[in-house]
Amino acid sequence: MRILRYSVVALVLSGLVLGWSLQAQRRGGDSGTVPPLAPPNPRLEALKKDAIAEVEARQKLTQEMVDSIFSFSELGFEEVETQKYVTGILEKEGFKVERGLAGIPTSWVARWGSGKPVIALGTDVDCIPMANQTPGVVTRKELVPNGPGHGEGHNAGQALIVTAALSAKKIMEREKIQGTLVLWPGIAEELLGAKAHFVRAGMFKDVDVVLYSHVGANLGTSWGDSGGSGMVSVEYQFKGETSHAAAAPWRGKSALDAVELMDIGWNFKREHLRLAQRSHYVITRGGDQPNVVPSSASVWYYFRENDYDHIMEMWKLGDTMANAAAMMTGTTVTSRVLGSAWPAHGNQTLAQTMHLNIQQVGMPKWSDADQQFAKAFQRAMGAPETGLVTQASASLRGRENVPDEEKFGGPSDDVGDIMWSLPTATLSFPSNIPGAIGHHWTSAVAMATPVAHKGATQAAKVQAMTILDLVVRPELVTQAKTYFETVQMKQRKYQPLLRPNDPPALWVNQETMAKFRPELKKFYYDPSKYATYMEQLGVSYPPPMPAGKAN
């Protein structure tokens, strides 16, 4: 019955043109208008029905990948187990894999197929510090105390794109459809540390379009300007002279004093910065012990703003304050870029194509147990007990250009560097629960549960169907490129925030992972012995409702 339902919806949607009106795009604004009618394509819709069946047939693979990558819990630039695991699957399926690109040992690119179009599927893989959590448990319960964990949900994305690619590949092979699939990981996204290096290294030079995925609580996409920020990540390193802090402090030149003076200056300046800015810092080195004047100290800043020019203004202001702090303390200062991200801009044609497929497949069919789990989590969080989202958004959001005065800052994603290099659209998929806090252990609670598995499976259907749209209807690729070249690029041209000699910040998480990896290994998922990771950990599902009133 499910396949029949998909087929009926497909016949309705197949009459819609997936392209766009250039005149309408130039007007900007919401894209909720329905495209004009076009002849239906029964062959394409039949192939999409097959793609849905292929994805559903791979639900076990999807679940095992979600759970395995969750258990690895690897920080940025340390995704060793994830690389070995995912590339091993892809090589067995006939993909040609190249590892260690752009000077990043844990990166990879997997290719299959031949000819045009070349479609790249990407998603992030790293986790965040201090977010280790037992999946399915709605209160704080770490497996490895103070360890890293998937508190952003990046563990589900690779399962999604691998499932989608394998499903589309089977149909393309059977039907002898030309096209090349390229799979790549967002290494160190939480550091915004790799995608600009990928662009600089030419990883996408032969790619026509990028289909990107990121976890959320709903199934949707958008196009045009985003509400987020671009940013540059800079560490300032001060050098001074040591001395005995009690016997001869006058002989010392404190690098820590310089760090503190820079931070004080920046915090006073905040009052006079634009509302759109976001800036934050951590002191990465502050000295060794109090009775030794620190000769070495460093501070790590994120400078976020709406666009390239304003980001550069903030960066130059940071440089000015660092140099002034060095002058006041008699120290010297150098800086290094640890990461960067352009603001996002999604491609309209690709987003429209995705959106129609989202409308066709809809949200996952959540069980009563799934909804109880979500509401138990929300009650424990003190959030409204709305449960899981059951309806995908009916409208496609997007504006070609959001005026600067309407932007008030927000998070960043280095996929922006790719979005400003070639046509790209992002699919948000429902593997998490409304009410979770970003970059927090609460965002790890659902990420190795049936919610994560079902969300990744449903989104894999959308991406597999979108791949088929692009290989069967190459005019969509042409339209995506036209939007990129004549609409998006008329606003501005891509200029990397990376400086020519800035290397990837491979050192950032080495010490932390060396400390925690031996303990994390004790909890790696073993799918040969257990059906799910929760079974391996002895976690019952769904959890009981916590005591207290409904919110």
Side-chain angles (χ1 to χ4, degrees):
M1 290 298 293
R2 179 174 292 182
I3 296 298
L4 177 61
R5 178 174 63 85
Y6 288 141
S7 300
V8 172
V9 175
L11 289 174
V12 174
L13 294 176
S14 64
L16 298 178
V17 165
L18 301 178
W20 45 269
S21 161
L22 185 59
Q23 180 181 359
Q25 285 177 357
R26 285 177 173 163
R27 287 197 301 265
D30 190 8
S31 67
T33 56
V34 178
L37 295 178
N41 190 330
R43 175 174 178 257
L44 175 57
E45 296 309 325
L47 296 179
K48 288 186 181 183
K49 181 176 70 174
D50 291 348
I52 291 168
E54 289 291 339
V55 169
E56 290 186 341
R58 290 175 170 79
Q59 290 182 71
K60 181 58 179 171
L61 171 65
T62 307
Q63 172 260 311
E64 288 186 359
M65 291 191 70
V66 169
D67 289 1
S68 295
I69 297 173
F70 182 95
S71 74
F72 298 150
S73 294
E74 294 178 303
L75 295 169
F77 295 120
E78 299 293 319
E79 305 95 334
V80 177
E81 297 289 349
T82 303
Q83 181 199 60
K84 181 169 62 175
Y85 175 68
V86 177
T87 58
I89 292 171
L90 291 169
E91 284 180 323
K92 289 179 181 177
E93 293 288 344
F95 281 75
K96 182 180 179 181
V97 175
E98 184 178 0
R99 299 171 177 84
L101 294 93
I104 300 172
T106 55
S107 67
W108 73 85
V109 168
R111 289 176 173 266
W112 173 86
S114 63
K116 294 286 190 174
V118 180
I119 302 168
L121 287 83
T123 189
D124 303 322
V125 294
D126 59 327
C127 72
I128 61 173
M130 304 292 289
N132 197 267
Q133 173 67 15
T134 304
V137 178
V138 301
T139 55
R140 188 68 159 127
K141 185 180 181 182
E142 298 166 280
L143 293 170
V144 177
N146 301 315
H150 275 286
E152 179 69 5
H154 287 171
N155 60 296
Q158 284 294 319
L160 186 169
I161 67 170
V162 169
T163 301
L166 297 183
S167 300
K169 170 179 175 287
K170 184 171 181 180
I171 294 168
M172 291 169 68
E173 285 178 320
R174 186 190 73 199
E175 301 292 322
K176 297 180 172 55
I177 299 173
Q178 178 176 288
T180 303
L181 303 181
V182 180
L183 275 67
W184 57 276
I187 298 297
E189 189 277 333
E190 297 300 349
L191 300 173
L192 303 170
K195 295 186 186 76
H197 289 281
F198 290 167
V199 171
R200 187 170 71 181
M203 270 179 51
F204 302 97
K205 62 184 178 182
D206 68 335
V207 174
D208 293 302
V209 298
V210 172
L211 305 180
Y212 186 67
S213 301
H214 196 279
V215 68
N218 204 334
L219 190 60
T221 187
S222 62
W223 65 274
D225 270 1
S226 76
S229 303
M231 62 145 284
V232 65
S233 165
V234 186
E235 185 180 40
Y236 294 93
Q237 299 172 301
F238 293 86
K239 298 293 183 182
E241 294 181 10
T242 62
S243 69
H244 195 297
W250 52 88
R251 294 183 180 273
K253 296 180 180 179
S254 174
L256 179 59
D257 287 353
V259 164
E260 292 184 293
L261 285 168
M262 178 183 178
D263 294 344
I264 290 168
W266 187 266
N267 287 329
F268 272 100
K269 185 66 175 177
R270 285 181 193 273
E271 179 185 354
H272 311 289
L273 298 176
R274 285 162 35 101
L275 292 176
Q277 75 87 26
R278 296 288 188 276
S279 52
H280 13 271
Y281 60 84
V282 293
I283 296 175
T284 50
R285 180 174 175 81
D288 298 303
Q289 58 190 61
N291 64 334
V292 179
V293 173
S295 64
S296 178
S298 55
V299 60
W300 180 9
Y301 271 79
Y302 277 14
F303 299 123
R304 302 186 198 250
E305 251 284 7
N306 286 344
D307 53 45
Y308 176 88
D309 292 337
H310 286 106
I311 295 166
M312 292 300 296
E313 286 180 14
M314 290 185 71
W315 186 0
K316 290 176 182 177
L317 180 59
D319 286 350
T320 297
M321 293 196 173
N323 289 325
M327 290 176 64
M328 285 188 284
T329 53
T331 59
T332 60
V333 64
T334 57
S335 67
R336 55 185 180 181
V337 174
L338 306 189
S340 66
W342 262 62
H345 187 109
N347 186 272
Q348 188 180 35
T349 299
L350 296 179
Q352 286 179 336
T353 306
M354 276 187 190
H355 179 70
L356 290 179
N357 291 324
I358 290 167
Q359 296 305 298
Q360 186 168 335
V361 303
M363 290 290 287
K365 297 301 179 184
W366 306 117
S367 67
D368 291 342
D370 298 332
Q371 291 289 9
Q372 179 176 319
F373 168 50
K375 291 178 181 179
F377 170 79
Q378 290 163 343
R379 179 176 296 184
M381 286 288 295
E385 294 176 27
T386 56
L388 298 164
V389 178
T390 58
Q391 295 291 328
S393 176
S395 62
L396 174 63
R397 294 179 296 106
R399 296 171 68 183
E400 175 192 325
N401 181 43
V402 178
D404 187 69
E405 61 270 17
E406 295 181 24
K407 297 179 181 179
F408 297 100
S412 309
D413 191 318
D414 55 350
V415 73
D417 288 78
I418 296 173
M419 287 178 154
W420 285 96
S421 300
L422 71 161
T424 305
T426 297
L427 175 68
S428 178
F429 62 97
S431 283
N432 221 319
I433 300 174
I437 302 170
H439 290 190
H440 192 259
W441 65 265
T442 57
S443 287
V445 168
M447 290 312 304
T449 72
V451 172
H453 307 150
K454 293 175 183 179
T457 292
Q458 203 74 351
K461 297 173 187 176
V462 174
Q463 293 293 44
M465 294 163 71
T466 304
I467 292 169
L468 293 175
D469 279 318
L470 297 172
V471 296
V472 173
R473 297 191 59 201
E475 69 271 17
L476 294 176
V477 176
T478 301
Q479 291 170 3
K481 289 182 176 182
T482 300
Y483 175 87
F484 177 77
E485 294 165 0
T486 66
V487 179
Q488 180 178 345
M489 295 300 287
K490 77 178 182 182
Q491 299 182 33
R492 61 184 68 90
K493 304 297 182 184
Y494 176 69
Q495 298 173 267
L497 289 158
L498 284 183
R499 299 170 298 195
N501 297 319
D502 287 322
L506 304 180
W507 59 88
V508 172
N509 288 317
Q510 287 177 344
E511 184 176 332
T512 302
M513 283 305 298
K515 174 183 176 182
F516 286 109
R517 197 183 295 276
E519 291 302 310
L520 291 167
K521 283 183 176 181
K522 298 176 183 178
F523 296 96
Y524 285 179
Y525 173 46
D526 185 351
S528 68
K529 295 181 179 179
Y530 302 96
T532 67
Y533 192 39
M534 290 176 65
E535 179 185 312
Q536 178 174 322
L537 298 174
V539 177
S540 60
Y541 188 84
M545 291 297 292
K549 296 181 179 180
N551 294 300

